[in-house]
Amino acid sequence: MLAASNTAERRRYARFSAPYRYETVGLFTRSNRRADYLHINNLDQLARQGIGLLAPKVGYYGPAYARLQPQLSASGKLSTFTSFQQGLRMLDAGRADLILGDSGALRHEAKLQGIAISALPLVVLRAPVHLMLNKSSTSPAELERINAAIARLEHNGTLAAIRARYGDL
């Protein structure tokens, strides 16, 4: 799996590569509505103010979101999506005011779809991202080769160039 978080639960059945980038999870809105939401400096404001949120159906997006997610769901203010393509279409259709997700992935998909989005200043989570490999079908030696390749690509600037191409520095 690409873009996996290394967790104790997953380590039972998976191997994790060295981090190859950092995921920044942010809040975005349609660019023409950004000024309306610049005051948001924590996720709790979404529930207090009844602001609709779109979020990925699966994944970990930090302790604040994990705590708030049940409340937003119960109030009907949370809609989930299975792909950033779907989530951005929902945002563009007005299904919610804000969308949460990996900043690089959202910006890239928005560019592909021609949807103007803008980030809010709030960073929800910043965490290392790894490749997640199935323990039963990979070996420690294969993981070592992958980690060596990541180190070489980082050292020669290839990973930095790829991250920059997708708006993730």
Side-chain angles (χ1 to χ4, degrees), residues 7-163:
T7 65
E9 177 186 348
R10 288 176 169 175
R11 282 192 295 276
R12 291 190 321 234
Y13 57 84
R15 302 178 201 286
F16 290 88
S17 73
Y20 64 92
R21 71 176 181 95
Y22 278 81
E23 173 182 44
T24 301
V25 174
L27 284 178
F28 289 77
T29 189
R30 291 177 297 276
S31 292
N32 64 350
R33 300 286 313 274
R34 185 173 190 265
D36 298 338
Y37 301 104
L38 284 175
H39 68 282
I40 295 174
N41 55 27
N42 65 65
L43 291 181
D44 291 323
Q45 288 177 278
L46 303 181
R48 285 195 306 269
Q49 296 174 22
I51 297 171
L53 178 66
L54 297 165
K57 188 172 192 146
V58 297
Y60 179 73
Y61 300 98
Y65 178 73
R67 181 179 38 74
L68 187 63
Q69 187 268 341
Q71 183 181 355
L72 288 173
S73 289
S75 69
K77 291 297 180 180
L78 178 65
S79 295
T80 61
F81 53 86
T82 57
S83 71
F84 288 117
Q85 180 182 51
Q86 178 191 28
L88 285 162
R89 286 182 181 158
M90 293 167 72
L91 181 73
D92 200 40
R95 290 278 306 271
D97 304 306
L98 303 176
I99 188 168
L100 175 134
D102 178 289
S103 296
L106 279 171
R107 284 186 176 111
H108 179 69
E109 185 59 40
K111 184 177 178 181
L112 290 176
Q113 290 190 41
I115 298 171
I117 63 170
S118 294
L120 300 181
L122 175 64
V123 172
V124 177
L125 177 70
R126 184 155 168 78
V129 173
H130 310 263
L131 298 175
M132 185 170 82
L133 310 167
N134 185 320
K135 261 189 184 176
S136 65
S137 62
T138 61
S139 70
E142 289 170 316
L143 178 60
E144 284 180 33
R145 288 194 300 273
I146 288 170
N147 284 338
I150 290 170
R152 277 191 311 275
L153 294 171
E154 192 66 67
H155 181 74
N156 72 21
T158 302
L159 280 180
I162 292 168
R163 289 189 298 261

